């Protein structure tokens, strides 16, 4: 492939292979940061007595800022162009990395007060760092989705899927790094979590070197007679509004489950992060084959089939399994379901609403990310916490009283006494050999009150297996409850599939050249676009 292209009729060549690689690396950086952050629960439980709910709120911040910025970022892209926003995100990403090193000093300083106050203080700084990280990634994605669609106008679905293979690639790198150096059972050794969580900076620097010196194409609104206002035409289309709702559910399922995968799979495999690495590897491979699949069945058909498979995969993962072969078989099936959803949704927005450029793709991304940040992560955390506590209370009530917090918490319709993060974290570290427990983790746990340690140590040989089993039940129950999300997605895609069949089939819309307006949409198929007065009518070519 030639490393240049004439983009959007501008007549200016761009180093599209280099820009594609740089765009790919922004998602690698995001995936690395995401995977290492999901593996930080054990360290944060031990160091800061952090609960599952607090951890879930931090995970949520990793998508909340993303969702907010990807939508407004789309508007900013159309206003200021690609490069300025890439530079801003580059700088802010480095600042978010620096904030992680403030957690320990802030916790130490706040420890002079109450333990709860110290934990709240460190949760706040970690939340801010994660939120800033997600703002940066929102800016990246607001840029790279329309940029790649602009660089490869005739193969948007194929190249957007390849672009989004960068996300699982980053999770593979970050997950393997976490497996080697983080968690209760690292393959090599434990390193400071601040160092582990900052590995993503390497990829940020690489993308900066590649992209920032390059000239970039104009945005969709540049040269449009309606200016930036033409970018909002998509919101006059009812099918587009349906896509926004469905993409919110896509974000809930894919990224919400991925956020909790390591925690939900604890006690099921020796190092649970490897499940996330495995599913990410499958996604990485599969996304390179989206183009040929779409030429067999249109994008809506692919999305419908993917939703059904993802639903069945989550139900399978939520079943009791004692064989690692079955665990990875279920994970494989689920991966086939989730692999194509996110990038193919963006491709549909790019194909059906090319005039809306970054705004249409940003609106979908915002719906997905805001749902993950505001709903999915905290809700899945509440479901896991409720299932964990309920299972332990029913199976081992005496153990439950030793490990549960005194106060009941209420979250997302679930009321339960949460399991102490510090005690659960210590229990994960304990090894039992011939009925004898090595209780060093309890002795050294600074966040466990001294008056509670003797009782925990005396009962460790019976408590630790009970806690592990209940934790696994909680994870399974959360996965089964989440399976309702792809089921709802499948209904939505079925409705769209029937609708497009009723109007003659799914048809991508093209931006045509015009002497008076090089950005004019020149097409006759307008069935699903109720055009805003003053905007040109779209025309389509059959798949």
């Amino acid at each position: 492939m030639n490393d240049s292209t004439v983009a959007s009729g501008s007549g200016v060549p761009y180093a599209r292979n280099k820009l594609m690689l740089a765009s790919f690396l922004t998602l690698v950086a995001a995936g690395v940061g995401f995977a290492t952050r999901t593996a930080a629960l054990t360290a944060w439980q031990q160091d800061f007595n952090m609960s599952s709910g607090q951890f879930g709120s931090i995970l949520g911040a990793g998508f909340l800022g993303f969702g907010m910025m990807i939508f407004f970022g789309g508007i900013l892209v159309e206003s200021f162009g690609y490069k300025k926003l890439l530079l801003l995100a580059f700088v802010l990403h480095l600042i978010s990395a620096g904030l992680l090193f403030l957690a320990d000093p802030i916790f130490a300083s706040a420890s002079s007060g109450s333990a709860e106050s110290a934990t709240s203080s460190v949760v706040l700084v970690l939340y801010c760092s994660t939120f800033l990280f997600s703002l940066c990634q929102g800016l990246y994605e607001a840029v790279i989705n329309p940029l790649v669609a602009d660089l490869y106008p005739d193969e948007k679905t194929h190249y957007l899927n390849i672009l989004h293979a960068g996300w699982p690639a980053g999770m593979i790198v970050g997950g393997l790094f976490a497996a080697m150096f983080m968690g209760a059972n690292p393959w090599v050794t434990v390193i400071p979590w601040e160092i582990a969580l900052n590995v993503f900076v390497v990829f940020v620097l690489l993308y900066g070197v590649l992209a920032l010196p390059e000239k970039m194409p104009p945005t969709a609104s540049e040269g449009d007679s309606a200016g930036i206002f033409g970018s909002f035409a998509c919101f006059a289309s009812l099918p587009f509004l349906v896509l926004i709702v469905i993409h919110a559910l896509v974000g809930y399922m894919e990224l919400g489950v991925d956020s909790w995968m390591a925690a939900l799979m604890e006690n099921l495999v020796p190092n649970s992060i490897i499940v996330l690495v495995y599913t990410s590897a499958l996604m990485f491979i599969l996304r390179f084959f989206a183009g040929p699949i779409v030429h067999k069945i249109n994008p809506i058909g692919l999305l419908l089939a993917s939703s059904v498979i993802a639903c069945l995969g989550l139900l399978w993962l939520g079943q009791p399994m004692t064989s690692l072969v079955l665990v990875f078989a279920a994970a494989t099936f689920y991966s086939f379901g989730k692999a194509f959803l996110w990038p193919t949704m963006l491709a549909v927005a790019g194909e059906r609403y090319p005039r809306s450029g970054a705004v249409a793709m940003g609106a979908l991304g915002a719906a997905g990310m805001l749902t993950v940040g505001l709903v999915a992560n905290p809700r899945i955390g509440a479901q896991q916490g409720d299932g964990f506590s309920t299972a332990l209370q029913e199976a081992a009530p005496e153990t439950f009283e030793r490990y549960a917090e005194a106060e009941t918490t209420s979250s997302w319709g679930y009321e339960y006494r949460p399991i102490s993060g510090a005690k659960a974290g210590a229990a994960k570290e304990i090894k039992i050999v011939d009925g004898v427990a090595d209780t060093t983790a309890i002795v050294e746990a600074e966040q466990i009150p001294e008056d509670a340690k003797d009782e925990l140590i005396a009962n460790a040989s019976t408590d630790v297996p009970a806690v592990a089993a209940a934790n696994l039940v909680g994870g399974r129950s959360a996965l089964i409850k989440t399976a309702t999300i792809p089921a709802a997605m499948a209904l939505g895609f079925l409705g769209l599939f029937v609708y497009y069949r009723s109007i003659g089939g799914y048809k991508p819309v093209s931006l045509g050249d015009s002497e008076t307006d090089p950005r004019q949409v020149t097409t006759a198929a307008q069935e699903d676009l109720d055009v805003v007065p003053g905007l040109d009518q779209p025309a389509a070519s059959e798949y």
Side-chain angles (χ1 to χ4, degrees), residues 262-275:
L264 298 179
M265 293 288 105
E266 281 181 335
N267 309 311
L268 200 56
V269 294
N271 193 321
S272 58
I273 195 69
I274 201 62
V275 179

Side-chain angles (χ1 to χ4, degrees), residues 293-313:
I293 294 174
V294 166
H295 284 294
K296 300 281 185 187
I297 57 173
N298 69 47
I300 303 299
L302 175 59
L303 291 167
L304 173 58
S306 295
S307 298
V308 173
I309 294 171
C311 176
L312 296 176

Side-chain angles (χ1 to χ4, degrees), residues 46-112:
Q46 293 175 340
D47 292 354
F48 310 125
N49 192 26
M50 188 179 295
S51 69
S52 293
Q54 290 170 320
F55 182 65
S57 70
I58 294 172
L59 291 179
F63 299 99
L64 179 59
F66 195 142
M68 293 170 59
M69 185 51 68
I70 193 173
F71 178 71
F72 292 109
I75 299 172
L76 293 173
V77 164
E78 296 296 346
S79 301
F80 300 104
Y82 297 126
K83 182 175 288 190
K84 291 178 182 177
L85 295 191
L86 282 177
L87 179 59
L88 175 63
F90 178 80
V91 173
L92 293 179
H93 227 159
L94 299 181
I95 294 174
S96 74
L99 286 176
L100 293 174
F101 292 98
L102 298 179
D104 278 330
I106 288 176
F107 186 76
S109 175
S111 294
S112 57

Side-chain angles (χ1 to χ4, degrees), residues 219-230:
T219 64
S221 63
E222 294 182 59
D224 192 327
S225 58
I228 191 173
F229 297 105

Side-chain angles (χ1 to χ4, degrees), residues 197-209:
L197 265 62
N198 271 315
V199 173
F200 77 89
V201 172
V202 174
F203 300 95
V204 172
L205 295 174
L206 285 174
Y207 110 76
V209 170

